[in-house]
Amino acid sequence: MDTRTRQRSTADERRATVMRTAIKTFAERGYYGTSTMDVAKAAGISQGYLYRLFKDKETLFAALVDYCSDRLRESVAAAAAEAQSTDPEAVLRALTASYDEVIADRDVLMILMHAQCSAREPVIGEAVRVCFAKQVEYIRAVSGASDEQIRRYFADGLLSNVVVAIDAAAVDAPWARTLRA
């Protein structure tokens, strides 16, 4: 007779599992192309239990935006701590390298891009605005950069998103070289 007892997962453990699987599922098909049934199936739970963990699909996706925002901030914090100079341009270069490392994770990149495309949904739009607000103010605090320098940092970052998403590094053409420069 087997006397082992099955240990049940806590809601926090299940939520973490859902987040890990949801990021992959939403990254593949986007917010509009992914159903809660898709996420539940990938996480190995019922759709009903998914709704116990997350109020609705929009709340789940907003949680993924928050997760990606945290990843960005952690990366920036590490890069800022290791920056060899206090010159704002030098700090921003270090932060750019850390950003490029984060978006090399295609799932994170695609969640960020899908979030911007889904920002008309109220909860997602608020999550995206909060993400940008946190990033801008943190970058300002650790770099000492001017508003123009910060604006350029974010503009270059958004272009990097596109370059990585379309795999422009694999294209040997003048337009791709221009965007990668």
Side-chain angles (χ1 to χ4, degrees), residues 30-180:
Y31 176 75
Y32 296 109
T34 303
S35 70
T36 55
M37 184 58 83
D38 295 333
V39 174
K41 184 178 178 182
I45 61 173
S46 70
Q47 189 175 27
Y49 191 67
L50 177 68
Y51 284 121
R52 278 192 238 148
L53 298 172
F54 296 93
K55 179 178 130 186
D56 54 27
K57 177 178 156 180
E58 196 174 355
T59 303
L60 169 57
F61 195 81
L64 294 177
V65 173
D66 293 343
Y67 167 80
C68 292
S69 180
D70 290 346
R71 291 264 319 267
L72 291 170
R73 206 168 39 263
E74 290 163 7
S75 176
V76 165
E82 294 176 10
Q84 301 296 314
S85 170
T86 58
D87 173 60
E89 286 296 332
V91 174
L92 290 175
R93 278 192 299 278
L95 302 184
T96 297
S98 77
Y99 181 79
D100 290 345
E101 288 175 18
V102 172
I103 66 169
D105 179 338
R106 190 162 181 84
D107 291 341
V108 170
L109 169 64
M110 296 312 296
I111 293 298
L112 293 169
M113 293 188 76
H114 288 306
Q116 291 170 24
C117 294
S118 307
R120 291 188 73 175
E121 303 297 333
V123 174
I124 296 170
E126 182 60 19
V128 172
R129 286 187 292 277
V130 167
C131 175
F132 271 96
K134 286 179 179 178
Q135 301 306 322
V136 168
E137 295 311 322
Y138 193 78
I139 302 283
R140 182 187 322 278
V142 300
S143 71
S146 69
D147 285 351
E148 177 57 27
Q149 289 169 312
I150 293 169
R151 188 203 62 75
R152 194 174 62 246
Y153 169 83
F154 278 89
D156 289 348
L158 292 171
L159 177 59
S160 291
N161 290 353
V162 173
V163 167
V164 172
I166 65 172
D167 197 17
V171 178
D172 185 24
W175 68 267
R177 286 190 295 277
T178 298
L179 292 180
R180 292 190 309 258

Side-chain angles (χ1 to χ4, degrees), residues 14-28 34 38-45 50 60 64 107 111:
R14 280 293 189 189
R15 190 174 282 109
T17 297
V18 169
M19 293 289 287
R20 278 192 307 277
T21 56
I23 198 168
K24 291 191 172 309
T25 308
F26 279 112
E28 243 178 63
T34 303
D38 295 333
V39 174
K41 184 178 178 182
I45 61 173
L50 177 68
L60 169 57
L64 294 177
D107 291 341
I111 293 298

